[in-house]
Amino acid sequence: MRSEMSDRAREVLEGNWQDGFTIPCKGLYPFQWNWDSGFIALGWGHVNMERAKQELRSLLKGQWSNGFLPHIVFHNEAETYFPGPGVWDVSRSANAPATRTSGITQPPVLGYVLEQLYEISGESITDFVREIFPALYRWHHYFYTHRDPHQEGLVYICHNWEAGTDNTPVWDAIWAGLDSPEYQLNRRDTQHVDASNRPSNREYQHYIHLVELFKSWNYDDVQIADKSPFLIQDPLFNALLMRSNEGLIRLGQLLGKEAEVAQLQRWHALSKTHFHEKLYCPNQKGYVYYDLRGNRRLNALSSSSFVPLLAGVPPTAAADEIVSAHLDSGTFSGVSGDFYLCPSFDPSSPFFDPKRYWRGPVWINLNWLIYHGLRRYGFTEVADKLKSDTLDLLEECGFYEYFDPRRNLEPGHFRGYGGNHFSWSAALYLDFINRQTL
Ligand code: GLC
């Protein structure tokens, strides 16, 4: 079974390879996406290291002159996605590169991925690490110098697509305060998959409204920080930034990059000082989001609430309470194991929807991040449970984009949703099964 699935996973990556980079999924996502490429590169690392290198090199072609790394790079032409490069129109920014890109970023997984590729390959990729280290360092430099207005080591995101968790119910509180125009949308996603498994049209109007605002400010970070109605410190995003700091610190030490290592260590220490204090909610026993525009916590738990384990953020007592309240016969697993780990939103909430994208379904990349977080703290049993749930879902359904977390479904109901032959589901399957001892 495993070896057959592993062949199919390779076929998915091969099928989505576009001569230099890998698309997340045919039709639905026909360009190169930022954090997808990180996970995908790791998958390629088990199959063909040259492809892993090309994947990351291609993504970096989209880097802006200020270090910013966009969430989509439009290397190719495709008519099947909205909003395309014309809508983004990033040439309004003096920082934009010649390659066409979007104007927002995505969770910074690349420093962590590069360290993991080094784990897989060792010294044979030292030259590659030396080649791309400076670009990744510049990206972190951009975050800490442009997106941390209070100098707390907690960077903001200014768009829900930057979170990677597009339509989580956490954002509902932000949309409720917005009066976005009723744009005529030219959505393509709902031509590929069932609209009831995707964000609503009203939500899409808010997403486009934010893009229109950023365009009107020529993507200027100062204006965005001053005026964007969406300005959030997100626990997943900041935990990945910290875990990637750790990766870059380790690799920078190997390369003898003393000044960069010292700077990364200072930023990292600053993040560590404020993260737990500002984003941990003792009542809910998990990390929540901070709305900088509204000066309030957004008190809801999602799978992002557990990712700080990956970066060693919680003190041990907090880590214990997170796991026992939610993951080990708790809210997210269900007391009698009603759900596959890990639903993307709190199943005890009235806003939980097991079919709709980031409002409940299981996502493989989040499972992978939480798995490594659990291992870091020594929660081996829960980690193994999460891993076997992940492999069961993939082996039962195939490499779908997201999965219905309810264990008991009505007969005949298929639990794989969204795009099929989805790259990061295949890539992370390969990482899960090829690194048994992790
Ligand atoms: C969706 C996901 C996002 C992902 C993108 C491409 O927008 O929410 O996290 O990067 O698709 O797969």
Side-chain angles (χ1 to χ4, degrees):
M1 174 71 171
R2 290 272 144 93
S3 80
E4 195 194 308
M5 271 299 278
S6 166
D7 289 345
R8 284 182 50 208
R10 287 162 195 236
E11 281 161 24
V12 169
L13 293 184
E14 199 64 56
N16 289 336
W17 175 254
Q18 306 285 308
D19 197 20
F21 66 96
T22 314
I23 56 172
C25 173
K26 289 199 179 113
L28 203 50
Y29 310 111
F31 306 108
Q32 185 173 31
W33 260 257
N34 184 325
W35 76 328
D36 294 65
S37 278
F39 299 120
I40 291 166
L42 197 53
W44 278 124
H46 295 289
V47 177
N48 178 337
M49 193 52 86
E50 276 316 302
R51 290 261 171 107
K53 294 180 189 171
Q54 287 184 53
E55 183 75 38
L56 298 179
R57 283 189 186 114
S58 296
L59 187 69
L60 293 172
K61 284 191 190 143
Q63 189 162 36
W64 292 25
S65 60
N66 58 353
F68 172 84
L69 205 55
H71 98 299
I72 305 177
V73 186
F74 302 104
H75 300 286
N76 48 324
E77 297 296 331
E79 289 299 320
T80 60
Y81 181 81
F82 169 84
V87 176
W88 289 100
D89 190 16
V90 297
S91 60
R92 290 162 183 246
S93 165
N95 298 317
T99 308
R100 295 174 314 165
T101 74
S102 72
I104 57 169
T105 189
Q106 256 190 338
V109 75
L110 301 178
Y112 178 35
V113 163
L114 190 61
E115 181 204 37
Q116 296 304 299
L117 287 174
Y118 187 83
E119 284 280 323
I120 295 172
S121 274
E123 286 176 8
S124 66
I125 63 158
T126 307
D127 286 347
F128 177 69
V129 173
R130 184 171 292 111
E131 175 191 326
I132 73 162
F133 180 93
L136 298 189
Y137 176 81
R138 290 204 308 122
W139 194 26
H140 286 225
H141 180 273
Y142 162 82
F143 281 130
Y144 283 103
T145 56
H146 290 72
R147 287 195 175 215
D148 184 15
H150 304 313
Q151 301 287 297
E152 348 172 66
L154 295 173
V155 307
Y156 67 72
I157 54 171
C158 55
H159 196 289
N160 57 299
W161 281 330
E162 289 199 330
T165 57
D166 306 7
N167 69 335
T168 175
V170 179
W171 315 140
D172 294 358
I174 308 291
W175 308 142
L178 281 190
D179 190 20
S180 304
E182 308 235 332
Y183 299 104
Q184 283 306 313
L185 300 167
N186 188 11
R187 284 180 73 170
R188 306 295 168 86
D189 55 325
T190 44
Q191 294 169 4
H192 301 287
V193 299
D194 187 341
S196 69
N197 300 162
R198 298 280 306 179
S200 68
N201 278 342
R202 187 61 188 141
E203 283 168 307
Y204 251 77
Q205 286 167 336
H206 297 309
Y207 306 171
I208 297 304
H209 179 51
L210 291 175
V211 174
E212 292 300 330
L213 288 176
F214 303 158
K215 265 161 68 174
S216 73
W217 304 326
N218 297 329
Y219 294 98
D220 174 41
D221 290 294
V222 175
Q223 295 207 57
I224 291 174
D226 275 357
K227 297 189 274 198
S228 171
F230 190 109
L231 212 69
I232 309 276
Q233 290 165 321
D234 173 313
L236 161 81
F237 199 98
N238 280 282
L240 275 181
L241 182 64
M242 285 182 69
R243 185 62 191 84
S244 282
N245 283 338
E246 290 179 334
L248 292 180
I249 288 168
R250 176 166 163 224
L251 296 172
Q253 281 163 341
L254 291 168
L255 299 174
K257 303 244 176 211
E258 281 165 31
E260 288 87 341
V261 167
Q263 182 59 70
L264 285 161
Q265 282 169 332
R266 282 194 292 273
W267 287 328
H268 192 69
L270 185 65
S271 301
K272 184 118 191 174
T273 308
H274 297 285
F275 198 132
H276 184 72
E277 180 194 310
K278 188 158 186 192
L279 301 185
Y280 190 67
C281 173
N283 291 337
Q284 297 191 86
K285 302 186 172 52
Y287 290 89
V288 294
Y289 305 67
Y290 194 87
D291 169 12
L292 284 170
R293 186 59 66 229
N295 281 321
R296 56 175 173 170
R297 274 186 175 168
L298 301 174
N299 282 320
L301 293 182
S302 69
S303 47
S304 300
S305 303
F306 311 130
V307 180
L309 290 164
L310 177 75
V313 174
T316 325
D320 285 346
E321 71 183 18
I322 291 171
V323 171
S324 57
H326 303 299
L327 302 174
D328 192 6
S329 309
T331 338
F332 278 66
S333 53
V335 272
S336 345
D338 312 311
F339 302 108
Y340 282 91
L341 285 172
C342 177
S344 51
F345 196 69
D346 182 353
S348 68
S349 153
F351 302 107
F352 171 74
D353 179 341
K355 296 184 181 177
R356 209 185 261 274
Y357 216 41
W358 290 96
R359 299 177 84 88
V362 173
W363 287 75
I364 302 305
N365 63 335
L366 260 292
N367 274 15
W368 185 83
L369 296 170
I370 297 168
Y371 169 78
H372 287 287
L374 291 167
R375 300 273 322 186
R376 179 171 183 151
Y377 280 79
F379 296 110
T380 324
E381 252 175 60
V382 192
D384 286 348
K385 177 78 184 50
L386 192 142
K387 177 172 170 177
S388 71
D389 279 1
T390 311
L391 299 182
D392 284 353
L393 286 171
L394 292 167
E395 287 166 1
E396 217 180 280
C397 305
F399 299 108
Y400 274 85
E401 188 183 2
Y402 42 102
F403 301 84
D404 197 313
R406 292 168 298 171
R407 230 174 259 280
N408 294 319
L409 289 179
E410 47 289 10
H413 185 103
F414 185 66
R415 64 171 77 251
Y417 298 138
N420 191 2
H421 311 296
F422 190 72
S423 292
W424 81 37
S425 299
L428 296 174
Y429 180 83
L430 288 171
D431 193 62
F432 266 127
I433 63 161
N434 283 302
R435 294 202 286 168
Q436 299 287 3
T437 52
L438 275 186

